[in-house]
Every structure is written in C-alpha cells, then in structure tokens.
Amino acid sequence: MKVKYFIWLLFFVLTIKVHSQELHKQFSLKNNLDTFSMVDTLKTIYLEGNPINYYHWNEKLAALYFAQISKVKPEKKIFTWFKYCQQLLKAGETQTCINEIENFIIRQQFTYQDLITKDLLPIIDLLAISYLRLGEINNCQNNHNSYSCILPLKDQALHIDLNGSKKAIEIYAQIYEKFPNENYKWLLNLAHMSIGEHPNKVPVKYRINYPNWNVEQKQFMAFKEISLKLGIAQNGLSGGVSIDDFNNDGLLDVFITSYGMSDQSKLFTNTSNGFIDTTKEAGLTGIVSGLNCIHADYNNDGNIDIFVLRGAWLDEGGNHPNSLLKNNGDGTFTDVTKSAGLLSFHPTQTASWADVNNDGYLDLFIGNESTEKRSHPCELYINQKDGSFTEESSNYNLSSIDGFIKGVVFGDINNDKWPDLYISVLGGNNLLFKNDFGKFKNISETAGVQGPNFSFPTWFWDVNNDGFNDILVASYDTRNTKNIAGDFAKELQGEKVRSDTSKLYINNGDETFSDQSSAFNIDKSFYAMGSNFGDLDNDGWLDFYIGTGSPEFTSVVPNRMFRNVDGISFEEVTSAGGFGHIQKGHGVSFADLDNDGDQDIYAVLGGAYEGDNYPNVCFENPTSENNWIILKLEGIKSNRSAIGTKLKLDLENGRTIFYSINTGGSFGANSLQAEVGLGQSELIQTLTVIWPCSKAQIFNSVAVNKKYTLTEGENELIKEPYEKLQLLNKELMHHNE
C-alpha cells in the first residue's frame, strides 16, 4: 500500500513539475515574443530610415555625400566634398577627414593662412577640430585611464601622442590672429592643457585662467573616477542612466542607454565585489537606442521597471517608440510597451512617474517634441491597475501641451499631497500645472516660473530646507551652440554672456515663486544636456551636477558640479572635486553604489554623432565626516515605489531636513531609496513619513548611519544590514568593446 501511495505521489509531483515547466516555457515564449516585437520595430526603423532625416547616421551620410561628388555640377563639388569631410569626422573617421583636407591643401598649393578667409574658414575650422579630436582619440580613448579628459589635466591625463594637439595649436593660433574670439581662444588653451603647456607656455594674449579660483571653490574634497575599476566604463554615445536595486538583493545596479539606433542598452548587476554585465541574461538583447530612461514599480509587484525614451532631436525622423521594460522578478525584463497601451511614435527624451489621481498606482506623463511643421502633443497615461495604461490627457486638462519639450517633472508645490507638474520648453515659456485634486490648472504666469526661454533639464527640490519644493530649470540656448566654448571662457573669467541663463525659483509658500538665480550664484549659461542632484558631503543640503555640451565637436567644456552652501548660495567645485570632464555629459545619477553611506555619481558621456563616443564615468565619494540615514519605503495604499512621499527629519541639534521620494531631475535617474545627509547630527529626534495616500507616520529617536526599510502602515523601522562593499579592482575594458 505504501509503495502504491509513493508511486502515485511521485507521478503526481512529476506531472505538476512537467506542467509547471510547460507553463514557464509558454510564459517565457510570450515574454520573448513581446520583446522581439519591439526589437523588430527598432531594426526596421534603422534599416528603412532615410539617412537625410537622421543627422547622427554619419557613416551612411558620408557614403551618400561621397557618391554625389562625381555627380554634382563643378561649382557644387567643393561644397559636397566639404559635407563629405564633415561626415567623416562625425562618423569617427577622423584621420581620413584630416587626410582629405591636407591633400586638398597640397593640390591647391595652399598654406593654412590661405584658408583663413571668410569663404574658406569652415575648411580650416574643420581641420583644426579634427586634429584636436584626433588627440583625444589617440590618447583619452585608445589609452584610456581614470584621469583621462578631466580638467585640470595633469599626470596620466596628459597626452602621450602629442601630434594631434600640436597641430591644433598651430592652426588655432593662426585662426585667432585673424578672427579673434573666445571660442578659438578656449580651444587653443585646451590643446595646450592636453600636453602640459598650460599656463606657462601659452602666450599671454591667448591665455585663459583655468581653473579660476576667484570664481570657484578650491577647498573641497577630491572624488576619484573608478568606472574602470568597477567594470562599468561603458563606451557609447549620449544616453540615460537608472540606478536602483533591480533584482531585490539589497545592492544598487546600473542600467544604461545610448543614443545610436544600433547601440545596445546595458544592465550591470552589482555582485557586492564588482559589477557584471547581465544584459543578455536579462533578456534585453536588441533593446537599443534611448537618450534617457526612468524607473519605478508601475504595477506594484515589488519589482522596479524601466521606461526608455527615444527619438529626441530628430524631427521628421523622430517617430520612434518608447519602451516599457517590465521587471519579471527573476532577473529578466520583458518589453510590454504594446500590451501596456503605451505604444506611440513621437520624438521624446523626457517623462516622469507620479500618482496624479492618488489611487495608489503610478501614472506616466511623456513630454514630446513639437515643431512648427509637426505636432507631437504631450501624453498622460493613467494606470488602469491591471498592468495597462490609457491616454487621458484631455480628462486632466493637459491635452493642449504642444511644444519642444525637454524636461518634465512632478512635485508637490503646496504640500496638499497632489503632485504638480513642471515642463521645460525649449524656445518658449515654461509651464507649471497645479494638480487641483486630479485636474490640472495652468498657473505658470501667476507663479512666475516661465523663464528661461531656452531651457532643458529641470527638477523640483527643497533647496533651502523650508518644507516647500523649489524649481531649478537649466538653460540651453540653441541660438549659440556653435560658441559654447566661448561662452564658457567668458563666464570663467567673470564676464557676462548673451545666452539665456539658468533659473532657480524659490517657493514663496503661496503657489508663487521668486527668481533667486543671481542670489544663489547659478545665473549661468550651462548648456545643460543632462543633470541631477544629490548630497555630495552629507551636510543635508542638496547639490547638483550639470552635464554640458552639444552635438558640435567644438563644445568641449567641462561638466560642472555645484555645492549648496547652507541653503543660501551655491559654490562651484568642478575642478577641486575632480568633476571637470570635457566629454559631453548626459544622464546623471547620484547613488550610494558602495554602501558606505555617501552618494557616488555616475554620468553617461558621449555626443550624438557616431564618432563622438566616450566611456562613462563614476566618481567615488570619499568618506565623509558627516552622518546619514538610508530609508527604503514600500507603499501599500500609496504606490509601491513610494514616489511622492515626503520625509521630515527633526534632528537633535534643532535642525530640520526635508526630503522627497523621487528619482531626481529630468535627465538621469537616482535610486528611489532615500539617501539623506544629516550633517553632524548624531540622532534623528523625530522622523515623519508623509505618505500620499494615508496618514503620516512618526518615529522617535532614530539612530543615524543605518539603513532602514519601512512598509506603509507598519509601526516599526526595520534595520537592514549595510556594510561597505569591497568592490574588486577589475579594470574591465568595456570601453574598448
């Protein structure tokens, strides 16, 4: 009897196992089919797209212009040839571009001086920047190290192969003599810096003072660039980054995108002793492109999902789908864009998650790019609580937003627990919509937050710790992108620039704001491509990092860091902190990657053109003397990610710190866990957690320098293990892949 029972039980177990395996196969197959559908869509766009509509498909464009040279009329040959040379540089064929121009000079029996005329200046300009770029490629890329391209250039950052920079110096000096401007002057100084000749060997009439310690803080701790050591120095173009715990093991992982249509997104999983590339294992192969990404748990299943944004800056060619990557909770992701109801075709790079109707589920607002020729209205997708969304902008009074949108963020401006919406519009007035219990009202004009007219990234934050969200919106003046270096040089010397400057709007507490940009020392022409904020030194005041640049190769200016001084001003710490990387900056994340209680900074570098790639960087925060607390919140009535939750920390020294749960700015995504600096305070006297959909919770006498988890409605903070990770010195060469 026992034998029969055993045989029956064994048969039953095996049957269940086989059935379970079959169901798993079916589930995996469906997941794969969903993802394959998006992969095929992206492949089709790349294979069938017209290169004329894609300014960054430079290899294809070079071939196109080359084929035309022999076909065009004689009077157009030199123009077509010049276009061909431009595309060679943009495609990364730098030496070939140089050879073409130098051979042209020989054939025409010209000197460099002969080309320095109004008509021929573009040719010598192209040659000069090509030599400067060649120096970067032969040194900063081919011999890449942790010091490469970080101003002020010294030690291992100095070029070994001097040829590119020396030729650039020769040419720029001649151009400057006939056409003097700050743009040429900065590039000339930069070339001297790269070979260790700045400032002493730079002629006085050319010399620019860098760093200028009269306008930049010198006494600041230096961060160390460690991306190579961590194995996350991913080489690519401009893109986004999301940092969070994607596999729920308590460690922060890194997800990266890149702009190119064939550029693979990457997932690097934190193993506690280093990062490993788990892109293939995660089912992400073929998920390409993306200028930005944001993350959140959209379906409240406890797994953090990722939203990838595509098509920005491409106008007619920008009808690309975004991707919603559902985290399956087993280390894999599935592209569920279509089944979730999010499939649309617009150029965009900005979106934001928020529970706009306070129903406990996150909704999604997407800012699209409209031009005079083509309308791409913004979209508001309301969560249907079943894994799907419906577009309902008209039901929330948001259907008329139609501009060249570059940044969108949610934040509560009046502490009523309803998320309000701020929109950065390039070439128009910025917009603030008050969330009036689920219906949005445009209060931009009365709130006083419409400038600047040329803006890009933006965010809500409490810059002065008064309990009200302020707004920073960074400038990006597209009228002057060919002279970014010149504007930077002027500003560096304390001179005024003509470009639009950034705005810091301080919340007055009555749904109006005051422009305090000048008082806080950030009325600057940042030319911000990416940005985010965090706390560099755990002093409880929020600092920010700006990724600078444009597609132009001449826009080689440092990315910049600003430290918050007691909530009353900002001081620049770019050079002293070791943040002044001259490669173009994009997605930025502040996050404690090594579990030591302070925030490290990861930045995606690289331009838009195919040949303007560069390894990303990660700046390790030196151990701070200040204290901290880390809180991971889990919503129950509120959304699972706890986005929109506010923290009020009353410290034993009488100080109060406010913190909002979100991923930071509109270009780059921080971890959703709250990483809060406390200064010298050794005890949190009272911690108040203000949930969007339930009563506030209060905890007394909370110990510092600990990580806690809190579930909404539970009466106890759960202390979690949190020890510094001994990350391996892996020196992985991802940058050469």
Side-chain angles (χ1 to χ4, degrees):
M1 189 70 181
K2 289 183 178 180
V3 175
K4 288 183 180 179
Y5 176 78
F6 176 77
I7 293 173
W8 178 86
L9 183 62
L10 180 63
F11 174 78
F12 178 77
V13 169
L14 289 173
T15 301
I16 293 295
K17 185 177 181 180
V18 170
H19 184 63
S20 177
Q21 289 175 340
E22 185 60 32
L23 287 175
H24 181 74
K25 286 180 181 178
Q26 292 176 12
F27 177 75
S28 299
L29 179 62
K30 183 183 184 305
N31 286 353
N32 288 337
L33 289 174
D34 287 342
T35 301
F36 289 160
S37 177
M38 178 59 71
V39 170
D40 286 342
T41 298
L42 297 174
K43 279 184 179 179
T44 300
I45 291 172
Y46 185 61
L47 293 174
E48 299 182 1
N50 186 348
I52 297 298
N53 296 329
Y54 292 84
Y55 71 95
H56 64 327
W57 287 7
N58 309 113
E59 188 176 340
K60 292 183 179 182
L61 288 169
L64 187 72
Y65 284 118
F66 181 77
Q68 291 178 356
I69 293 174
S70 61
K71 301 176 182 178
V72 298
K73 296 178 179 179
E75 62 268 21
K76 292 186 177 181
K77 281 189 182 297
I78 189 168
F79 175 78
T80 306
W81 167 83
F82 177 69
K83 289 289 188 182
Y84 165 62
C85 292
Q86 283 184 314
Q87 294 301 327
L88 286 174
L89 174 63
K90 294 174 180 178
E93 298 293 334
T94 310
Q95 187 63 65
T96 306
C97 174
I98 291 171
N99 293 343
E100 281 284 335
I101 299 174
E102 292 284 12
N103 289 335
F104 168 80
I105 293 172
I106 293 171
R107 290 196 304 271
Q108 300 296 325
Q109 297 183 338
F110 283 164
T111 66
Y112 290 157
Q113 280 290 335
D114 295 327
L115 290 174
I116 306 175
T117 66
K118 186 177 180 180
D119 292 336
L120 298 177
L121 187 61
I123 297 176
I124 197 70
D125 262 352
L126 180 60
L127 182 62
I129 193 60
S130 295
Y131 273 121
L132 191 66
R133 180 63 180 167
L134 184 67
E136 293 175 353
I137 293 171
N138 290 343
N139 294 274
C140 304
Q141 292 209 42
N142 296 344
N143 292 293
H144 184 64
N145 61 69
S146 298
Y147 299 86
S148 296
C149 284
I150 298 177
L151 299 183
L153 301 175
K154 57 184 179 180
D155 303 326
Q156 296 178 55
L158 298 178
H159 290 190
I160 300 171
D161 181 345
L162 310 183
N163 294 327
S165 291
K166 281 189 172 295
K167 289 294 290 186
I169 291 169
E170 177 189 348
I171 298 171
Y172 277 125
Q174 294 182 60
I175 298 175
Y176 184 80
E177 287 295 325
K178 196 166 183 179
F179 296 99
N181 65 46
E182 295 299 308
N183 209 53
Y184 293 134
K185 185 187 276 190
W186 170 254
L187 295 173
L188 180 58
N189 275 260
L190 188 63
H192 277 289
M193 292 179 199
S194 71
I195 57 177
E197 293 184 350
H198 183 277
N200 297 333
K201 294 185 179 181
V202 183
V204 174
K205 62 180 177 180
Y206 303 145
R207 191 181 302 163
I208 290 175
N209 181 22
Y210 186 91
N212 187 346
W213 298 119
N214 292 321
V215 296
E216 183 175 341
Q217 169 64 261
K218 187 176 185 178
Q219 303 301 321
F220 187 76
M221 55 188 178
F223 283 52
K224 187 177 181 181
E225 206 285 289
I226 59 167
S227 60
L228 285 172
K229 292 182 179 182
L230 300 187
I232 52 177
Q234 180 64 29
N235 193 352
L237 303 180
S238 56
V241 55
S242 285
I243 294 182
D244 222 305
D245 182 7
F246 294 113
N247 59 359
N248 288 329
D249 66 351
L251 305 175
L252 297 181
D253 312 303
V254 181
F255 178 83
I256 307 163
T257 65
S258 178
Y259 192 33
M261 279 301 298
S262 58
D263 290 358
Q264 174 65 53
S265 300
K266 290 284 186 175
L267 176 64
F268 292 97
T269 298
N270 193 339
T271 68
S272 80
N273 61 1
F275 288 81
I276 59 173
D277 185 342
T278 57
T279 306
K280 182 178 180 181
E281 293 81 355
L284 294 170
T285 302
I287 299 299
V288 297
S289 188
L291 198 56
N292 195 12
C293 54
I294 57 174
H295 62 275
D297 182 0
Y298 77 92
N299 56 359
N300 289 350
D301 66 352
N303 303 306
I304 297 175
D305 316 291
I306 303 170
F307 191 65
V308 179
L309 298 136
R310 302 187 178 96
W313 298 108
L314 295 177
D315 196 17
E316 186 176 349
N319 294 332
H320 292 186
N322 302 315
S323 277
L324 178 61
L325 304 176
K326 176 181 176 291
N327 188 336
N328 299 316
D330 59 359
T332 68
F333 290 79
T334 302
D335 193 308
V336 297
T337 312
K338 185 176 182 179
S339 60
L342 294 176
L343 185 64
S344 62
F345 294 83
H346 302 287
T348 188
Q349 66 177 25
T350 184
S352 189
W353 296 102
D355 185 1
V356 302
N357 52 11
N358 277 355
D359 66 351
Y361 282 78
L362 291 172
D363 311 298
L364 181 65
F365 185 88
I366 302 174
N368 296 317
E369 296 176 350
S370 291
T371 64
E372 292 182 358
K373 295 181 179 179
R374 295 172 185 84
S375 176
H376 294 280
C378 295
E379 302 161 284
L380 175 63
Y381 288 97
I382 298 299
N383 198 319
Q384 301 302 297
K385 307 181 184 181
D386 59 0
S388 70
F389 297 79
T390 58
E391 207 291 312
E392 298 187 31
S393 56
S394 60
N395 295 334
Y396 288 80
N397 299 334
L398 295 174
S399 59
S400 60
I401 305 173
D402 197 4
F404 204 74
I405 310 302
K406 303 312 294 179
V408 297
V409 283
F410 285 102
D412 184 0
I413 65 169
N414 53 9
N415 293 333
D416 65 354
K417 295 189 176 183
W418 291 84
D420 310 297
L421 175 65
Y422 188 74
I423 300 174
S424 171
V425 184
L426 187 69
N429 290 332
N430 298 324
L431 303 168
L432 176 61
F433 290 89
K434 174 188 172 183
N435 189 339
D436 196 7
F437 306 104
K439 297 289 184 179
F440 286 91
K441 179 182 178 182
N442 189 341
I443 61 169
S444 313
E445 187 174 358
T446 58
V449 294
Q450 293 180 295
N453 282 334
F454 290 86
S455 61
F456 200 150
T458 184
W459 59 81
F460 284 103
W461 61 346
D462 190 351
V463 71
N464 54 3
N465 267 325
D466 66 351
F468 287 91
N469 270 322
D470 312 299
I471 300 170
L472 191 145
V473 54
S475 62
Y476 190 90
D477 200 328
T478 53
R479 298 169 299 182
N480 200 37
T481 53
K482 292 186 177 181
N483 196 42
I484 289 177
D487 270 3
F488 172 74
K490 284 184 178 181
E491 187 185 280
L492 181 67
Q493 305 308 308
E495 301 174 18
K496 288 285 186 181
V497 299
R498 291 180 296 175
S499 302
D500 259 0
T501 55
S502 302
K503 297 292 184 183
L504 175 63
Y505 295 113
I506 298 297
N507 196 325
N508 298 320
D510 59 359
E511 299 179 4
T512 70
F513 294 76
S514 298
D515 180 1
Q516 297 291 321
S517 315
S518 180
F520 277 77
N521 191 36
I522 57 172
D523 52 340
K524 304 180 185 299
S525 57
F526 284 138
Y527 292 99
M529 297 288 290
S531 63
N532 218 323
F533 63 89
D535 190 349
L536 291 172
D537 49 6
N538 279 344
D539 65 350
W541 302 103
L542 294 174
D543 318 299
F544 69 98
Y545 181 84
I546 293 288
T548 64
S550 81
E552 299 291 334
F553 277 94
T554 54
S555 64
V556 277
V557 298
N559 301 303
R560 304 169 73 176
M561 183 73 81
F562 289 82
R563 177 179 177 266
N564 188 335
V565 184
D566 301 329
I568 59 174
S569 182
F570 283 92
E571 59 184 16
E572 185 163 2
V573 295
T574 298
S575 300
F579 303 110
H581 211 295
I582 60 172
Q583 298 296 329
K584 300 173 180 65
H586 293 268
V588 178
S589 289
F590 285 72
D592 185 10
L593 288 170
D594 54 0
N595 282 11
D596 64 352
D598 50 38
Q599 291 188 308
D600 313 294
I601 298 98
Y602 190 90
V604 177
L605 302 182
Y609 301 132
E610 288 174 342
D612 200 8
N613 57 301
Y614 200 82
N616 300 334
V617 292
C618 182
F619 298 106
E620 182 184 23
N621 197 326
T623 303
S624 172
E625 296 180 355
N626 290 325
N627 297 315
W628 50 271
I629 185 175
I630 292 178
L631 290 167
K632 185 175 182 180
L633 305 182
E634 181 180 300
I636 299 298
K637 290 184 178 180
S638 306
N639 66 88
R640 187 75 174 262
S641 296
I643 289 175
T645 303
K646 289 189 175 183
L647 307 177
K648 180 173 178 283
L649 299 94
D650 297 303
L651 309 182
E652 45 80 26
N653 59 6
R655 187 181 169 196
T656 298
I657 294 173
F658 295 90
Y659 188 97
S660 297
I661 304 298
N662 54 53
T663 56
S666 60
F667 210 120
N670 299 340
S671 167
L672 285 166
Q673 67 181 20
E675 301 169 354
V676 187
L678 305 173
Q680 292 292 305
S681 183
E682 297 182 353
L683 180 71
I684 302 171
Q685 189 168 313
T686 305
L687 168 64
T688 305
V689 183
I690 305 168
W691 300 95
C693 298
S694 65
K695 295 181 179 180
Q697 294 181 261
I698 299 175
F699 301 89
N700 298 314
S701 299
V702 180
V704 302
N705 299 336
K706 307 289 183 183
K707 178 181 180 179
Y708 302 92
T709 60
L710 173 65
T711 301
E712 184 177 11
E714 298 292 329
N715 297 321
E716 183 181 1
L717 294 170
I718 306 299
K719 191 182 298 183
E720 299 287 346
Y722 205 70
E723 298 180 356
K724 182 175 175 60
L725 304 179
Q726 299 301 316
L727 298 171
L728 295 177
N729 185 350
K730 305 187 79 168
E731 299 289 346
L732 297 182
M733 302 303 286
H734 289 275
H735 56 294
N736 285 331
E737 290 180 354

